Amino acid sequence: PEGIVCGDLGDKTSYNENSCGALSCKITLKAGETRTIAFLLGMKPSSEAAEVIRCYENPAPTVAEELEALKADWNSKLDNLKVSTPSPEFDTMINTWNAYNCFMTFIWSRAASFIYCGLRNGYGYRDTVQDIQGIIHLAPEMALEKIRFMLSAQVNNGGGLPLVKFTHTPGKEDTPDDASYVQETGHPAYRADDALWLFPTVYKYISETGNTAFLDEVIPFANKDEATVYEHLKRAVAFSLDHLGPHGMPAGLYADWNDCLRLGANGESSFVALQFYYAMTILKIFAEYKKDTEYVQYLEETQKAFGEKVQELCWDNDRFVRGYTESGERIGEAAAPEANMWLNPQSWAVISGLASPEQGDAALNNVYERLNTKYGAILMDPPYHAHAFDGALAVIYNQGTKENSGIFSQSQGWLILAEALRGHGERAFTYFMENSPAAQNDCAEIRRLEPYCYGQFTEGKASKHFGRSHVHWLTGTASTVMVGCVEGILGLRPDLEGLRLSPSVPKSWKHFEIEKVFRGKQLHISVENPDEKESGCCSLVLNGQKLADNYIPEKLLQDKNEVILTL
Ligand code: IFM
């Protein structure tokens, strides 16, 4: 750093700037002499700080021991998944840096930020439930604690509290139906998507661990009452069905994932509709497991009718539209002068399972042609400028920025996953590389973020600063890209009874290896790709035994397992 080189570290308090601390001390060494310096950073009242500092009066061996313990702690988490592929960028992100970024967002959600000024006033429901997904494959027991916490922030009507206070007290909270909550949190109403994020998160946790008993665990609601996890999820489905808009899709309520898109309380978001469709698929799996046959039938009928409705309302020839405003305007249709092509409905149509293979491919091709850039796919195109409807808050941002046609990095993870689910390994990996910090070491002057952590967004092609990235560390990108890479590109897809292996990789990956701990068992997976395929399974061999397809039932696993998958 320049400050070190010129010896002027200054002594300034950072005010709305990128904070950077530097410590220095001068020592003079005699020939052959060794000295150990330990810097201790933290914040405590002086008397308590003095106590802590005393422990380090003789830094060696305490510091060395503690460093070892710290390393061991990190390794115990990160070692649960290690990959060795032909891509050093992919390996360093999955093995270390994206994983580390995921733990940061897992711990903090968006509750603190170097970028927005100061602390936030609580945990955002959707953000926090999404962030959990990024660490499930590494530290499921940590995930479980947080899932319990977030379920206890679900209101007994099934909706999520938009903001979960730092002082959250299950069973005693007021809700968006109470003026006190609105006044204290600034959140005027429920959001349409909050509780729907629980479905993929709970499913990922149960599938990773096999802990189906969790479905029967009783957890309080935020305001009053308590119920099993299974019942919490049923209520989340009921919440969406109790809040339908005029066309029969979930009503927009205050907002969906996109903070800058207000379709109106009675508007309808296709993104939420797709999440809801997916939620019913997951709940059906749980209902089948619990032999709740009447409810399975109810879900089947409800989902079928709902899916047909979404198809009819949202498919527009080669794309899924973004939704309907309260006044009936269809957003994201091909004929619109601005914002006529949106990213998230295309990826989510595939992830949710609603799109037919033909629709999925057409929509994803359209994304590639219309939205992709060398730094990732922009959120929609063209940006809002002259034709924004009243709820298109994104228009306040310059074109190419944030939700107004920026490359919203979180959405890249869903795009990677969607392409991988369709078996398009080349595309999935292309999207990974375009926005990957590790692939941008040689354009720091453009990206302007650390080359090892994700940012919230990269300025899009409509911006004068195309490629410049912002809001590092605390971004939902960490978890979505991790899931896109682990479940998508690597194709590690656990379910209630075992593990499916469905990698979607570049054709040039002729061989790669995965070390994974799955339900306490060690798996060494070698993937062979002699015919340069992007996906598909030619054979799967577990401990010398050929399996029927690409699925490993848990009951066949030994303590240590050799797995060979040939694409
Ligand atoms: O989904 C939101 C998130 O809750 C906060 N950051 C921006 C995202 C997209 O608008």
Side-chain angles (χ1 to χ4, degrees), residues 15 19 39 46 86 155 183 227 300 316 384 406 411 416 428 446 473 495 559:
Y15 191 89
S19 309
F39 290 105
S46 300
V155 180
Q183 198 188 2
E300 258 161 18
D316 182 23
Y384 279 121
S411 297
I416 293 169
I446 297 171
W473 289 112
D495 68 12
D559 287 345

Side-chain angles (χ1 to χ4, degrees), residues 110 126-127 130 191 257-260 402-403 408 410 456:
R110 296 325 113 69
R126 80 161 75 92
D127 296 339
Q130 289 172 72
R191 298 184 300 200
W257 169 87
N258 189 327
D259 290 336
C260 299
K402 259 175 85 81
E403 283 93 337
F408 218 89
Q410 189 178 7
Q456 184 201 50

